[in-house]
Amino acid sequence: MVYAKTKDKEEWKKHVTSMCCVLIASLIMSVNIKSFVRAGNLIPGGFTGLSLLLQRSALEFLGVSLPYSFINIALNAVPAFIGFKMIGKKFTSYSVIMIILNSFLVDLIPVAPITYDPLLVSVFGGILNGIAIVIALYGKASSGGTDFIAVYLSNKLKKPSWNFVFGINVVILMAAGLLFGFEEAMYSIIFQYVSTQTIHLLYRNYAQVTLFIISNKVDEISEMIHAITQHGATIIRGEGSYKNDERKMIYSVINESSEKAIVSNILAIDPKAFVNCVRTKEIRGHFNQMPKD
């Protein structure tokens, strides 16, 4: 009974954290659109950029003023459905909340340009956009559209896919260039590149770390790694070069997001353990990625 209450409390904390991240990310993204993006007439890529492109096209070529919220929610309907099927119900639900919040906030917040310098708009707007997406991802959500594609591919390929999404966004931006001029499109590419690199720098959940652990308590440490990551480790038998005594080494690959907790637990189990953490460029074969839900 006590365990059930503790579990419910933990779930409630996670829910509150996710909702706070969604609210903050939605506000940052909306303010960014109504300040930097509007000031530079940028098309920020993704479904956000596609929504702005359709809104601008309808106004300039048809004389019809369409609300951003209507276009963005309609475009994200299919990716959200795919998200429910392929990624996870909780992750997609939080993402849908963010899409709806962001959509209506963009319509409600007045335009407030900070600067009209196109390079400053592109760089700082891109940084803010990337930060908003990272906050959403840490809250187990996304801004929708191509973010769903990036998360799905990252889960499937076991490596970051934001650069792949950047390629898709460049195609959208080239279409914008044909319609409204390539100068704005080129600045939009800078915006998208800065945003992508900000995400790649700040969001490390898809990065892996290889651990080499020498300890006399390999069984306890291996069990702990399995409990946290849900995948095992390999125990390698060797010989120390100084005293020629038999030593055991644990080899394991973990998510970078789990590194701090695992290393702390290793040293708690064996304060004399030798731990070498090596950044992993790429892995092939089965690797258990913790699910979004």
Side-chain angles (χ1 to χ4, degrees), residues 170-235:
V170 169
V171 175
I172 296 173
L173 296 172
M174 293 303 290
L178 291 170
L179 290 172
F180 301 110
F182 281 98
E183 184 175 337
E184 291 176 3
M186 285 188 287
Y187 279 117
S188 296
I189 291 173
I190 295 173
F191 174 98
Q192 190 59 41
Y193 178 79
V194 172
S195 177
T196 301
Q197 295 310 307
T198 301
I199 295 167
H200 191 69
L201 177 67
L202 299 179
Y203 190 68
R204 306 295 298 169
N205 276 24
Y206 295 112
Q208 284 86 37
V209 175
T210 298
L211 296 179
F212 296 96
I213 309 154
I214 299 174
S215 171
N216 293 324
K217 298 181 179 180
V218 293
D219 293 332
E220 295 96 321
I221 292 172
S222 297
E223 288 175 8
M224 178 272 296
I225 291 173
H226 183 269
I228 293 177
T229 65
Q230 301 303 308
H231 61 77
T234 300
I235 298 175

Side-chain angles (χ1 to χ4, degrees), residues 5 17 34 76 79 84 87 92 104 108 119 132 137 147 153 161 176 195 210 213 218 223 235 271 273 290:
K5 287 182 178 179
T17 301
K34 298 308 286 281
N76 277 284
F84 274 112
I87 301 174
T92 308
F104 285 105
L108 293 172
L119 187 57
L137 288 170
D147 286 0
L153 289 176
S161 298
S195 177
T210 298
I213 309 154
V218 293
E223 288 175 8
I235 298 175
M290 295 300 286

Side-chain angles (χ1 to χ4, degrees), residues 90 219 269 279:
K90 284 184 181 178
D219 293 332
I269 295 169
R279 297 290 174 263

